[in-house]
Amino acid sequence: MNRHSDLEALREGQVLESVALTRDEAAALNSTDLVTVQPGADGWRVTAAHTVGAIRCGDLVIRVRPKIGALQVLRLLARAHGVAGLKVDELLIGVAEDPDITAVLALLFAEEASTAMAAGPMRGYRTEEQTLSVLRGRLRLRDQELRRFGRLVPLEVTVDEWTTDTDENRRIRAACRRLLLFADAPQSTRDRLAHLDRLLADVWLVPRGALLAPWTPSRLNTRLHRLLHLADLVLDQATVEHRVGTVEVHGFVLSMAWLFERLIQQLLTEASGMVRVMAQHPRPLDIQARLTIKPDLEFTDGARVVAVADTKYKLLDEQGKFPNADAYQLVTYCARLGLKVGHLIYAAGEPRPEPFDIDGAEIRLIIHSVDLQQPVANLESQVETLFDNIVTATEQQSSHWRS
């Protein structure tokens, strides 16, 4: 029987047999998407597939570490959000020999906050509607008439407050609180996060589940840009917070398949210029619109779809082969979109150089791979070459099938 402590050191793709769990704990873990739990002959079987992160499930702590390392995942996650040049000093990450994502993210966030907040929190104007006994700001005449029926006080006014309670600071404080909740960072890092939280004590803390207002880069908030991007990484991922039975669950969960798709989309968008790249755009498959398809990536020239691609967070085998189901899916996409060529993009492995010409369909499948373990600059070069290959294949096949 495996101990609960074994759940704290899972690797991506690992299966742990014979784990002692209660039914509530098993149900709670299954609801997180971090691991799947199934009953076994002796205890429970816990499977960590292609989702990484760390969660607290009651008294349990479950960590799944990525194959490519937590630092590389954070670099790719930042790049997928359009943050170029995020510097992750490996000497700075002294949290563990093999740190988990939340610990590294907490340390990066605390480091950036020390720089961004050196001159104190940024202030800005926030427009608020208030009810006051004296005139301040602008009187809302219509509200005054409808609510006060001619009385002079209280007054319904609109006030522009010069305050630290800005959208940017709300986002930063929410991310700080989230990291304090579930990041297993060193105590020194947690102390720095707690100091940041106290520094923003006058900033409204958005209730759990409420949507935060988006932030817009500007000259006024330049010094906060990198910190806000890191806050986005904390808040925009699949953050788990719920209760199953008697078990409360919270944590940080990241799908590597989603990360791979988002990263490829971002880099292809930057490389594509005038060609627009759309992700997961639903389309009806049958005439009655009872079936739908959602290709991972579509390339449009503004008037029509010119290419389609599917990203697969899988490894090609030693012969460069891939599952037949991947081919069936892409052939369907090509047939529905009226395309003669489709592209499969894998996370690693050496693809076979020759394409697959589908018999009876006049459709060609081309296989590509992108190595996620490479430095970000190399990844960008790989995806630029990938886009050039997609364009070339589209032009060649269009002329080939016409002739």
Side-chain angles (χ1 to χ4, degrees), residues 22-222:
T22 66
R23 287 185 177 274
D24 279 353
E25 288 173 339
L29 288 178
N30 267 328
S31 67
T32 65
D33 293 328
L34 180 61
V35 294
T36 56
V37 181
Q38 297 172 311
D42 181 18
W44 298 83
R45 180 189 302 114
V46 179
T47 303
H50 298 307
T51 304
V52 299
I55 60 171
R56 292 185 184 275
C57 177
D59 295 329
L60 298 177
V61 176
I62 298 90
R63 294 190 186 90
V64 180
R65 292 186 169 91
K67 293 178 180 178
I68 62 175
L71 298 183
Q72 182 69 353
V73 166
L74 283 178
R75 293 187 185 100
L76 301 184
L77 186 57
R79 196 65 187 85
H81 276 72
V83 183
L86 176 68
K87 303 297 183 184
V88 182
D89 185 354
E90 299 194 21
L91 297 177
L92 180 67
I93 310 300
V95 291
E97 181 180 348
D98 188 15
D100 65 46
I101 295 174
T102 55
V104 178
L105 189 53
L107 183 54
L108 290 176
F109 192 86
E111 283 289 323
E112 189 58 40
S114 297
T115 302
M117 296 290 182
M122 188 188 79
R123 291 179 175 270
Y125 284 104
R126 174 173 290 279
T127 300
E128 298 179 351
E129 293 184 354
Q130 300 180 358
T131 301
L132 301 176
S133 58
V134 296
L135 181 60
R136 181 167 174 251
R138 301 179 298 279
L139 182 66
R140 303 197 312 275
L141 293 174
R142 181 171 177 78
D143 288 341
Q144 185 71 27
E145 180 180 350
L146 293 176
R147 296 180 184 180
R148 306 305 168 193
F149 307 105
R151 286 185 294 170
L152 296 179
V153 290
L155 298 171
E156 301 296 330
V157 298
T158 298
V159 179
D160 292 327
E161 293 281 7
W162 179 248
T163 177
T164 59
D165 189 20
T166 62
D167 290 337
E168 292 90 345
N169 287 337
R170 287 183 179 184
R171 182 168 288 269
I172 291 169
R173 192 180 187 201
C176 179
R177 280 294 187 95
R178 194 67 57 83
L179 287 170
L180 282 169
L181 182 65
F182 59 73
D184 276 333
Q187 188 59 43
S188 59
T189 300
R190 297 184 63 82
D191 290 344
R192 294 166 73 181
L193 291 174
H195 172 73
L196 174 63
D197 186 55
R198 291 193 298 272
L199 191 65
L200 299 175
D202 293 334
V203 176
W204 182 57
L205 193 60
V206 179
R208 290 185 186 181
L211 293 178
L212 282 160
W215 68 280
T216 303
S218 69
R219 177 183 58 82
L220 298 177
N221 60 19
T222 299

Side-chain angles (χ1 to χ4, degrees), residues 12 50-52 66 68 73 254-261 313:
E12 182 185 349
H50 298 307
T51 304
V52 299
I68 62 175
V73 166
L254 174 64
S255 166
M256 293 298 293
W258 174 90
L259 173 59
F260 182 56
E261 178 188 327
Y313 185 69

Side-chain angles (χ1 to χ4, degrees), residues 60 201 210 218 265 320 351 360 367 390:
L60 298 177
S218 69
Q265 178 197 0
I367 316 303
I390 290 175

Side-chain angles (χ1 to χ4, degrees), residues 293-305:
I293 60 170
K294 288 198 299 183
D296 287 345
L297 299 171
E298 293 181 13
F299 302 79
T300 72
D301 60 3
R304 61 190 180 91
V305 179

